[in-house]
PDB file of all heavy atoms in Angstrom:
ATOM      1  N   GLY A   1      26.983 -97.248 -25.936  1.00  0.00           N
ATOM      2  CA  GLY A   1      27.876 -96.452 -26.754  1.00  0.00           C
ATOM      3  C   GLY A   1      29.342 -96.799 -26.666  1.00  0.00           C
ATOM      4  O   GLY A   1      30.153 -96.240 -27.410  1.00  0.00           O
ATOM      5  N   GLY A   2      29.709 -97.696 -25.765  1.00  0.00           N
ATOM      6  CA  GLY A   2      31.100 -98.086 -25.663  1.00  0.00           C
ATOM      7  C   GLY A   2      31.538 -98.909 -26.856  1.00  0.00           C
ATOM      8  O   GLY A   2      30.729 -99.375 -27.656  1.00  0.00           O
ATOM      9  N   GLY A   3      32.846 -99.073 -26.980  1.00  0.00           N
ATOM     10  CA  GLY A   3      33.373 -99.852 -28.084  1.00  0.00           C
ATOM     11  C   GLY A   3      34.843 -99.618 -28.290  1.00  0.00           C
ATOM     12  O   GLY A   3      35.535 -99.060 -27.434  1.00  0.00           O
ATOM     13  N   LEU A   4      35.323-100.051 -29.439  1.00  0.00           N
ATOM     14  CA  LEU A   4      36.726 -99.933 -29.819  1.00  0.00           C
ATOM     15  C   LEU A   4      36.895 -98.810 -30.822  1.00  0.00           C
ATOM     16  O   LEU A   4      36.201 -98.775 -31.844  1.00  0.00           O
ATOM     17  CB  LEU A   4      37.217-101.252 -30.420  1.00  0.00           C
ATOM     18  CG  LEU A   4      38.619-101.259 -31.016  1.00  0.00           C
ATOM     19  CD1 LEU A   4      39.665-101.026 -29.932  1.00  0.00           C
ATOM     20  CD2 LEU A   4      38.870-102.577 -31.735  1.00  0.00           C
ATOM     21  N   VAL A   5      37.811 -97.901 -30.529  1.00  0.00           N
ATOM     22  CA  VAL A   5      38.114 -96.798 -31.436  1.00  0.00           C
ATOM     23  C   VAL A   5      39.619 -96.619 -31.519  1.00  0.00           C
ATOM     24  O   VAL A   5      40.363 -97.006 -30.623  1.00  0.00           O
ATOM     25  CB  VAL A   5      37.462 -95.474 -30.994  1.00  0.00           C
ATOM     26  CG1 VAL A   5      35.946 -95.576 -31.052  1.00  0.00           C
ATOM     27  CG2 VAL A   5      37.915 -95.094 -29.597  1.00  0.00           C
ATOM     28  N   GLN A   6      40.063 -96.014 -32.613  1.00  0.00           N
ATOM     29  CA  GLN A   6      41.474 -95.719 -32.784  1.00  0.00           C
ATOM     30  C   GLN A   6      41.847 -94.422 -32.089  1.00  0.00           C
ATOM     31  O   GLN A   6      40.991 -93.555 -31.875  1.00  0.00           O
ATOM     32  CB  GLN A   6      41.816 -95.623 -34.267  1.00  0.00           C
ATOM     33  CG  GLN A   6      41.631 -96.917 -35.038  1.00  0.00           C
ATOM     34  CD  GLN A   6      42.145 -96.829 -36.460  1.00  0.00           C
ATOM     35  OE1 GLN A   6      43.047 -96.040 -36.751  1.00  0.00           O
ATOM     36  NE2 GLN A   6      41.591 -97.637 -37.335  1.00  0.00           N
ATOM     37  N   PRO A   7      43.110 -94.275 -31.706  1.00  0.00           N
ATOM     38  CA  PRO A   7      43.537 -92.999 -31.132  1.00  0.00           C
ATOM     39  C   PRO A   7      43.180 -91.840 -32.048  1.00  0.00           C
ATOM     40  O   PRO A   7      43.342 -91.918 -33.266  1.00  0.00           O
ATOM     41  CB  PRO A   7      45.052 -93.160 -30.998  1.00  0.00           C
ATOM     42  CG  PRO A   7      45.248 -94.633 -30.860  1.00  0.00           C
ATOM     43  CD  PRO A   7      44.193 -95.260 -31.749  1.00  0.00           C
ATOM     44  N   GLY A   8      42.693 -90.766 -31.446  1.00  0.00           N
ATOM     45  CA  GLY A   8      42.242 -89.616 -32.207  1.00  0.00           C
ATOM     46  C   GLY A   8      40.793 -89.679 -32.615  1.00  0.00           C
ATOM     47  O   GLY A   8      40.242 -88.675 -33.098  1.00  0.00           O
ATOM     48  N   GLY A   9      40.171 -90.815 -32.426  1.00  0.00           N
ATOM     49  CA  GLY A   9      38.784 -90.984 -32.786  1.00  0.00           C
ATOM     50  C   GLY A   9      37.839 -90.436 -31.747  1.00  0.00           C
ATOM     51  O   GLY A   9      38.243 -89.899 -30.720  1.00  0.00           O
ATOM     52  N   SER A  10      36.553 -90.595 -32.015  1.00  0.00           N
ATOM     53  CA  SER A  10      35.507 -90.073 -31.145  1.00  0.00           C
ATOM     54  C   SER A  10      34.491 -91.151 -30.826  1.00  0.00           C
ATOM     55  O   SER A  10      34.304 -92.103 -31.578  1.00  0.00           O
ATOM     56  CB  SER A  10      34.793 -88.885 -31.804  1.00  0.00           C
ATOM     57  OG  SER A  10      35.676 -87.801 -32.026  1.00  0.00           O
ATOM     58  N   LEU A  11      33.827 -90.950 -29.712  1.00  0.00           N
ATOM     59  CA  LEU A  11      32.806 -91.872 -29.264  1.00  0.00           C
ATOM     60  C   LEU A  11      31.841 -91.100 -28.377  1.00  0.00           C
ATOM     61  O   LEU A  11      32.261 -90.185 -27.665  1.00  0.00           O
ATOM     62  CB  LEU A  11      33.443 -93.015 -28.477  1.00  0.00           C
ATOM     63  CG  LEU A  11      32.726 -94.358 -28.366  1.00  0.00           C
ATOM     64  CD1 LEU A  11      32.543 -94.986 -29.734  1.00  0.00           C
ATOM     65  CD2 LEU A  11      33.525 -95.284 -27.459  1.00  0.00           C
ATOM     66  N   ARG A  12      30.582 -91.463 -28.409  1.00  0.00           N
ATOM     67  CA  ARG A  12      29.610 -90.846 -27.524  1.00  0.00           C
ATOM     68  C   ARG A  12      28.934 -91.905 -26.682  1.00  0.00           C
ATOM     69  O   ARG A  12      28.310 -92.827 -27.215  1.00  0.00           O
ATOM     70  CB  ARG A  12      28.554 -90.046 -28.284  1.00  0.00           C
ATOM     71  CG  ARG A  12      27.661 -89.224 -27.335  1.00  0.00           C
ATOM     72  CD  ARG A  12      26.716 -88.299 -28.048  1.00  0.00           C
ATOM     73  NE  ARG A  12      25.502 -88.972 -28.493  1.00  0.00           N
ATOM     74  CZ  ARG A  12      24.344 -88.360 -28.687  1.00  0.00           C
ATOM     75  NH1 ARG A  12      24.242 -87.048 -28.487  1.00  0.00           N
ATOM     76  NH2 ARG A  12      23.302 -89.053 -29.106  1.00  0.00           N
ATOM     77  N   LEU A  13      29.053 -91.753 -25.385  1.00  0.00           N
ATOM     78  CA  LEU A  13      28.389 -92.632 -24.442  1.00  0.00           C
ATOM     79  C   LEU A  13      27.049 -92.045 -24.046  1.00  0.00           C
ATOM     80  O   LEU A  13      26.907 -90.827 -23.920  1.00  0.00           O
ATOM     81  CB  LEU A  13      29.238 -92.836 -23.192  1.00  0.00           C
ATOM     82  CG  LEU A  13      30.673 -93.324 -23.398  1.00  0.00           C
ATOM     83  CD1 LEU A  13      31.350 -93.526 -22.052  1.00  0.00           C
ATOM     84  CD2 LEU A  13      30.698 -94.597 -24.228  1.00  0.00           C
ATOM     85  N   SER A  14      26.079 -92.912 -23.837  1.00  0.00           N
ATOM     86  CA  SER A  14      24.752 -92.495 -23.423  1.00  0.00           C
ATOM     87  C   SER A  14      24.355 -93.222 -22.154  1.00  0.00           C
ATOM     88  O   SER A  14      24.741 -94.369 -21.941  1.00  0.00           O
ATOM     89  CB  SER A  14      23.713 -92.789 -24.515  1.00  0.00           C
ATOM     90  OG  SER A  14      24.017 -92.099 -25.707  1.00  0.00           O
ATOM     91  N   CYS A  15      23.575 -92.548 -21.340  1.00  0.00           N
ATOM     92  CA  CYS A  15      23.056 -93.130 -20.114  1.00  0.00           C
ATOM     93  C   CYS A  15      21.597 -92.747 -19.990  1.00  0.00           C
ATOM     94  O   CYS A  15      21.269 -91.554 -19.920  1.00  0.00           O
ATOM     95  CB  CYS A  15      23.854 -92.640 -18.905  1.00  0.00           C
ATOM     96  SG  CYS A  15      23.212 -93.184 -17.308  1.00  0.00           S
ATOM     97  N   ALA A  16      20.734 -93.739 -19.983  1.00  0.00           N
ATOM     98  CA  ALA A  16      19.305 -93.527 -19.835  1.00  0.00           C
ATOM     99  C   ALA A  16      18.915 -93.777 -18.387  1.00  0.00           C
ATOM    100  O   ALA A  16      19.155 -94.864 -17.851  1.00  0.00           O
ATOM    101  CB  ALA A  16      18.527 -94.445 -20.769  1.00  0.00           C
ATOM    102  N   ALA A  17      18.325 -92.780 -17.771  1.00  0.00           N
ATOM    103  CA  ALA A  17      17.942 -92.866 -16.367  1.00  0.00           C
ATOM    104  C   ALA A  17      16.436 -92.978 -16.230  1.00  0.00           C
ATOM    105  O   ALA A  17      15.678 -92.386 -17.003  1.00  0.00           O
ATOM    106  CB  ALA A  17      18.440 -91.644 -15.601  1.00  0.00           C
ATOM    107  N   SER A  18      16.013 -93.722 -15.244  1.00  0.00           N
ATOM    108  CA  SER A  18      14.600 -93.847 -14.945  1.00  0.00           C
ATOM    109  C   SER A  18      14.417 -93.995 -13.445  1.00  0.00           C
ATOM    110  O   SER A  18      15.318 -94.437 -12.733  1.00  0.00           O
ATOM    111  CB  SER A  18      13.971 -95.035 -15.681  1.00  0.00           C
ATOM    112  OG  SER A  18      14.575 -96.254 -15.285  1.00  0.00           O
ATOM    113  N   GLY A  19      13.245 -93.617 -12.975  1.00  0.00           N
ATOM    114  CA  GLY A  19      12.917 -93.803 -11.579  1.00  0.00           C
ATOM    115  C   GLY A  19      13.400 -92.715 -10.641  1.00  0.00           C
ATOM    116  O   GLY A  19      13.366 -92.902  -9.422  1.00  0.00           O
ATOM    117  N   LEU A  20      13.841 -91.585 -11.183  1.00  0.00           N
ATOM    118  CA  LEU A  20      14.278 -90.483 -10.347  1.00  0.00           C
ATOM    119  C   LEU A  20      13.899 -89.149 -10.973  1.00  0.00           C
ATOM    120  O   LEU A  20      13.560 -89.084 -12.156  1.00  0.00           O
ATOM    121  CB  LEU A  20      15.782 -90.558 -10.064  1.00  0.00           C
ATOM    122  CG  LEU A  20      16.743 -90.744 -11.237  1.00  0.00           C
ATOM    123  CD1 LEU A  20      16.911 -89.453 -12.027  1.00  0.00           C
ATOM    124  CD2 LEU A  20      18.090 -91.225 -10.735  1.00  0.00           C
ATOM    125  N   LEU A  21      13.965 -88.110 -10.151  1.00  0.00           N
ATOM    126  CA  LEU A  21      13.697 -86.762 -10.639  1.00  0.00           C
ATOM    127  C   LEU A  21      14.964 -86.268 -11.309  1.00  0.00           C
ATOM    128  O   LEU A  21      15.828 -85.646 -10.685  1.00  0.00           O
ATOM    129  CB  LEU A  21      13.275 -85.853  -9.481  1.00  0.00           C
ATOM    130  CG  LEU A  21      12.795 -84.449  -9.847  1.00  0.00           C
ATOM    131  CD1 LEU A  21      11.594 -84.523 -10.779  1.00  0.00           C
ATOM    132  CD2 LEU A  21      12.444 -83.672  -8.590  1.00  0.00           C
ATOM    133  N   PHE A  22      15.070 -86.532 -12.592  1.00  0.00           N
ATOM    134  CA  PHE A  22      16.315 -86.359 -13.312  1.00  0.00           C
ATOM    135  C   PHE A  22      16.829 -84.926 -13.268  1.00  0.00           C
ATOM    136  O   PHE A  22      18.035 -84.697 -13.113  1.00  0.00           O
ATOM    137  CB  PHE A  22      16.131 -86.824 -14.757  1.00  0.00           C
ATOM    138  CG  PHE A  22      17.392 -86.864 -15.553  1.00  0.00           C
ATOM    139  CD1 PHE A  22      18.263 -87.938 -15.443  1.00  0.00           C
ATOM    140  CD2 PHE A  22      17.714 -85.838 -16.422  1.00  0.00           C
ATOM    141  CE1 PHE A  22      19.427 -87.985 -16.180  1.00  0.00           C
ATOM    142  CE2 PHE A  22      18.872 -85.872 -17.166  1.00  0.00           C
ATOM    143  CZ  PHE A  22      19.731 -86.950 -17.043  1.00  0.00           C
ATOM    144  N   SER A  23      15.949 -83.968 -13.402  1.00  0.00           N
ATOM    145  CA  SER A  23      16.375 -82.579 -13.456  1.00  0.00           C
ATOM    146  C   SER A  23      16.964 -82.089 -12.141  1.00  0.00           C
ATOM    147  O   SER A  23      17.624 -81.048 -12.126  1.00  0.00           O
ATOM    148  CB  SER A  23      15.208 -81.678 -13.864  1.00  0.00           C
ATOM    149  OG  SER A  23      14.157 -81.744 -12.916  1.00  0.00           O
ATOM    150  N   HIS A  24      16.739 -82.801 -11.068  1.00  0.00           N
ATOM    151  CA  HIS A  24      17.275 -82.447  -9.762  1.00  0.00           C
ATOM    152  C   HIS A  24      18.312 -83.456  -9.289  1.00  0.00           C
ATOM    153  O   HIS A  24      18.501 -83.633  -8.085  1.00  0.00           O
ATOM    154  CB  HIS A  24      16.145 -82.327  -8.744  1.00  0.00           C
ATOM    155  CG  HIS A  24      15.210 -81.192  -9.022  1.00  0.00           C
ATOM    156  ND1 HIS A  24      15.338 -79.962  -8.424  1.00  0.00           N
ATOM    157  CD2 HIS A  24      14.147 -81.091  -9.854  1.00  0.00           C
ATOM    158  CE1 HIS A  24      14.391 -79.158  -8.859  1.00  0.00           C
ATOM    159  NE2 HIS A  24      13.657 -79.817  -9.740  1.00  0.00           N
ATOM    160  N   THR A  25      18.967 -84.092 -10.218  1.00  0.00           N
ATOM    161  CA  THR A  25      19.940 -85.122  -9.928  1.00  0.00           C
ATOM    162  C   THR A  25      21.300 -84.745 -10.499  1.00  0.00           C
ATOM    163  O   THR A  25      21.390 -84.270 -11.634  1.00  0.00           O
ATOM    164  CB  THR A  25      19.487 -86.472 -10.513  1.00  0.00           C
ATOM    165  OG1 THR A  25      18.232 -86.837  -9.936  1.00  0.00           O
ATOM    166  CG2 THR A  25      20.508 -87.558 -10.234  1.00  0.00           C
ATOM    167  N   VAL A  26      22.329 -84.946  -9.701  1.00  0.00           N
ATOM    168  CA  VAL A  26      23.692 -84.758 -10.182  1.00  0.00           C
ATOM    169  C   VAL A  26      24.083 -85.986 -10.991  1.00  0.00           C
ATOM    170  O   VAL A  26      24.056 -87.104 -10.481  1.00  0.00           O
ATOM    171  CB  VAL A  26      24.677 -84.553  -9.023  1.00  0.00           C
ATOM    172  CG1 VAL A  26      26.078 -84.314  -9.564  1.00  0.00           C
ATOM    173  CG2 VAL A  26      24.231 -83.392  -8.141  1.00  0.00           C
ATOM    174  N   MET A  27      24.448 -85.784 -12.239  1.00  0.00           N
ATOM    175  CA  MET A  27      24.853 -86.877 -13.103  1.00  0.00           C
ATOM    176  C   MET A  27      26.350 -86.792 -13.364  1.00  0.00           C
ATOM    177  O   MET A  27      26.881 -85.716 -13.636  1.00  0.00           O
ATOM    178  CB  MET A  27      24.097 -86.836 -14.424  1.00  0.00           C
ATOM    179  CG  MET A  27      22.584 -86.943 -14.291  1.00  0.00           C
ATOM    180  SD  MET A  27      22.042 -88.497 -13.513  1.00  0.00           S
ATOM    181  CE  MET A  27      22.731 -89.710 -14.642  1.00  0.00           C
ATOM    182  N   SER A  28      26.994 -87.936 -13.287  1.00  0.00           N
ATOM    183  CA  SER A  28      28.440 -87.981 -13.464  1.00  0.00           C
ATOM    184  C   SER A  28      28.837 -89.181 -14.297  1.00  0.00           C
ATOM    185  O   SER A  28      28.114 -90.180 -14.369  1.00  0.00           O
ATOM    186  CB  SER A  28      29.162 -88.053 -12.117  1.00  0.00           C
ATOM    187  OG  SER A  28      28.903 -86.911 -11.322  1.00  0.00           O
ATOM    188  N   TRP A  29      29.999 -89.062 -14.899  1.00  0.00           N
ATOM    189  CA  TRP A  29      30.668 -90.183 -15.541  1.00  0.00           C
ATOM    190  C   TRP A  29      31.960 -90.468 -14.788  1.00  0.00           C
ATOM    191  O   TRP A  29      32.736 -89.544 -14.498  1.00  0.00           O
ATOM    192  CB  TRP A  29      30.988 -89.898 -17.006  1.00  0.00           C
ATOM    193  CG  TRP A  29      29.790 -89.893 -17.897  1.00  0.00           C
ATOM    194  CD1 TRP A  29      29.066 -88.812 -18.294  1.00  0.00           C
ATOM    195  CD2 TRP A  29      29.190 -91.034 -18.509  1.00  0.00           C
ATOM    196  NE1 TRP A  29      28.041 -89.203 -19.122  1.00  0.00           N
ATOM    197  CE2 TRP A  29      28.094 -90.564 -19.272  1.00  0.00           C
ATOM    198  CE3 TRP A  29      29.461 -92.401 -18.497  1.00  0.00           C
ATOM    199  CZ2 TRP A  29      27.273 -91.407 -20.015  1.00  0.00           C
ATOM    200  CZ3 TRP A  29      28.651 -93.260 -19.225  1.00  0.00           C
ATOM    201  CH2 TRP A  29      27.576 -92.761 -19.973  1.00  0.00           C
ATOM    202  N   TYR A  30      32.165 -91.729 -14.486  1.00  0.00           N
ATOM    203  CA  TYR A  30      33.396 -92.219 -13.899  1.00  0.00           C
ATOM    204  C   TYR A  30      34.031 -93.213 -14.848  1.00  0.00           C
ATOM    205  O   TYR A  30      33.377 -93.728 -15.759  1.00  0.00           O
ATOM    206  CB  TYR A  30      33.137 -92.911 -12.559  1.00  0.00           C
ATOM    207  CG  TYR A  30      32.810 -91.998 -11.393  1.00  0.00           C
ATOM    208  CD1 TYR A  30      31.580 -91.365 -11.306  1.00  0.00           C
ATOM    209  CD2 TYR A  30      33.733 -91.792 -10.376  1.00  0.00           C
ATOM    210  CE1 TYR A  30      31.273 -90.542 -10.235  1.00  0.00           C
ATOM    211  CE2 TYR A  30      33.435 -90.975  -9.297  1.00  0.00           C
ATOM    212  CZ  TYR A  30      32.208 -90.357  -9.234  1.00  0.00           C
ATOM    213  OH  TYR A  30      31.904 -89.542  -8.161  1.00  0.00           O
ATOM    214  N   ARG A  31      35.296 -93.505 -14.614  1.00  0.00           N
ATOM    215  CA  ARG A  31      35.936 -94.559 -15.379  1.00  0.00           C
ATOM    216  C   ARG A  31      36.921 -95.302 -14.489  1.00  0.00           C
ATOM    217  O   ARG A  31      37.440 -94.759 -13.513  1.00  0.00           O
ATOM    218  CB  ARG A  31      36.641 -94.015 -16.617  1.00  0.00           C
ATOM    219  CG  ARG A  31      37.858 -93.140 -16.327  1.00  0.00           C
ATOM    220  CD  ARG A  31      38.402 -92.570 -17.627  1.00  0.00           C
ATOM    221  NE  ARG A  31      39.597 -91.765 -17.412  1.00  0.00           N
ATOM    222  CZ  ARG A  31      40.196 -91.049 -18.357  1.00  0.00           C
ATOM    223  NH1 ARG A  31      39.703 -91.046 -19.594  1.00  0.00           N
ATOM    224  NH2 ARG A  31      41.285 -90.347 -18.071  1.00  0.00           N
ATOM    225  N   GLN A  32      37.161 -96.550 -14.852  1.00  0.00           N
ATOM    226  CA  GLN A  32      38.096 -97.375 -14.112  1.00  0.00           C
ATOM    227  C   GLN A  32      38.876 -98.243 -15.091  1.00  0.00           C
ATOM    228  O   GLN A  32      38.303 -99.066 -15.794  1.00  0.00           O
ATOM    229  CB  GLN A  32      37.373 -98.253 -13.092  1.00  0.00           C
ATOM    230  CG  GLN A  32      38.306 -99.011 -12.170  1.00  0.00           C
ATOM    231  CD  GLN A  32      37.579 -99.620 -10.985  1.00  0.00           C
ATOM    232  OE1 GLN A  32      36.377 -99.858 -11.032  1.00  0.00           O
ATOM    233  NE2 GLN A  32      38.311 -99.865  -9.918  1.00  0.00           N
ATOM    234  N   ALA A  33      40.179 -98.038 -15.108  1.00  0.00           N
ATOM    235  CA  ALA A  33      41.071 -98.828 -15.933  1.00  0.00           C
ATOM    236  C   ALA A  33      41.550-100.032 -15.130  1.00  0.00           C
ATOM    237  O   ALA A  33      41.537-100.014 -13.891  1.00  0.00           O
ATOM    238  CB  ALA A  33      42.255 -97.985 -16.394  1.00  0.00           C
ATOM    239  N   PRO A  34      41.986-101.087 -15.806  1.00  0.00           N
ATOM    240  CA  PRO A  34      42.461-102.274 -15.095  1.00  0.00           C
ATOM    241  C   PRO A  34      43.571-101.934 -14.104  1.00  0.00           C
ATOM    242  O   PRO A  34      44.538-101.258 -14.449  1.00  0.00           O
ATOM    243  CB  PRO A  34      42.973-103.176 -16.219  1.00  0.00           C
ATOM    244  CG  PRO A  34      42.184-102.762 -17.418  1.00  0.00           C
ATOM    245  CD  PRO A  34      42.015-101.274 -17.264  1.00  0.00           C
ATOM    246  N   GLY A  35      43.419-102.401 -12.878  1.00  0.00           N
ATOM    247  CA  GLY A  35      44.422-102.182 -11.855  1.00  0.00           C
ATOM    248  C   GLY A  35      44.450-100.791 -11.270  1.00  0.00           C
ATOM    249  O   GLY A  35      45.338-100.498 -10.458  1.00  0.00           O
ATOM    250  N   LYS A  36      43.507 -99.944 -11.641  1.00  0.00           N
ATOM    251  CA  LYS A  36      43.489 -98.580 -11.147  1.00  0.00           C
ATOM    252  C   LYS A  36      42.180 -98.282 -10.430  1.00  0.00           C
ATOM    253  O   LYS A  36      41.191 -98.991 -10.590  1.00  0.00           O
ATOM    254  CB  LYS A  36      43.685 -97.585 -12.295  1.00  0.00           C
ATOM    255  CG  LYS A  36      45.015 -97.714 -13.010  1.00  0.00           C
ATOM    256  CD  LYS A  36      45.190 -96.632 -14.037  1.00  0.00           C
ATOM    257  CE  LYS A  36      46.531 -96.763 -14.744  1.00  0.00           C
ATOM    258  NZ  LYS A  36      47.656 -96.574 -13.807  1.00  0.00           N
ATOM    259  N   GLU A  37      42.202 -97.223  -9.634  1.00  0.00           N
ATOM    260  CA  GLU A  37      41.008 -96.809  -8.922  1.00  0.00           C
ATOM    261  C   GLU A  37      40.023 -96.135  -9.863  1.00  0.00           C
ATOM    262  O   GLU A  37      40.402 -95.556 -10.881  1.00  0.00           O
ATOM    263  CB  GLU A  37      41.365 -95.848  -7.785  1.00  0.00           C
ATOM    264  CG  GLU A  37      42.189 -96.468  -6.672  1.00  0.00           C
ATOM    265  CD  GLU A  37      42.428 -95.499  -5.533  1.00  0.00           C
ATOM    266  OE1 GLU A  37      42.229 -94.282  -5.727  1.00  0.00           O
ATOM    267  OE2 GLU A  37      42.806 -95.958  -4.448  1.00  0.00           O
ATOM    268  N   ARG A  38      38.770 -96.221  -9.500  1.00  0.00           N
ATOM    269  CA  ARG A  38      37.748 -95.520 -10.254  1.00  0.00           C
ATOM    270  C   ARG A  38      37.923 -94.011 -10.062  1.00  0.00           C
ATOM    271  O   ARG A  38      38.130 -93.532  -8.941  1.00  0.00           O
ATOM    272  CB  ARG A  38      36.364 -95.962  -9.793  1.00  0.00           C
ATOM    273  CG  ARG A  38      35.228 -95.448 -10.651  1.00  0.00           C
ATOM    274  CD  ARG A  38      33.904 -96.107 -10.271  1.00  0.00           C
ATOM    275  NE  ARG A  38      33.939 -97.547 -10.472  1.00  0.00           N
ATOM    276  CZ  ARG A  38      32.899 -98.353 -10.293  1.00  0.00           C
ATOM    277  NH1 ARG A  38      31.732 -97.849  -9.924  1.00  0.00           N
ATOM    278  NH2 ARG A  38      33.035 -99.659 -10.487  1.00  0.00           N
ATOM    279  N   GLU A  39      37.837 -93.267 -11.148  1.00  0.00           N
ATOM    280  CA  GLU A  39      38.052 -91.835 -11.084  1.00  0.00           C
ATOM    281  C   GLU A  39      36.892 -91.079 -11.714  1.00  0.00           C
ATOM    282  O   GLU A  39      36.268 -91.542 -12.671  1.00  0.00           O
ATOM    283  CB  GLU A  39      39.361 -91.439 -11.775  1.00  0.00           C
ATOM    284  CG  GLU A  39      39.390 -91.723 -13.263  1.00  0.00           C
ATOM    285  CD  GLU A  39      40.638 -91.200 -13.945  1.00  0.00           C
ATOM    286  OE1 GLU A  39      41.282 -90.287 -13.391  1.00  0.00           O
ATOM    287  OE2 GLU A  39      40.974 -91.708 -15.031  1.00  0.00           O
TER     288      GLU A  39
END
């Protein structure tokens, strides 16, 4: 779902998980910009 968008635009990221008990798993999104720490 990643890509290039203009300011003010929208995007939806998707993550497909397998091999775990998904309903009992904490799911998170992180991001890391160039030269910066992952947040």
Side-chain angles (χ1 to χ4, degrees):
L4 173 65
V5 295
Q6 296 187 27
S10 297
L11 204 62
R12 189 173 83 154
L13 306 182
S14 299
C15 175
S18 61
L20 50 76
L21 187 59
F22 188 81
S23 62
H24 294 264
T25 300
V26 182
M27 300 299 301
S28 298
W29 288 96
Y30 286 73
R31 68 185 182 187
Q32 187 167 23
K36 298 185 180 296
E37 294 184 344
R38 189 171 298 184
E39 64 174 339

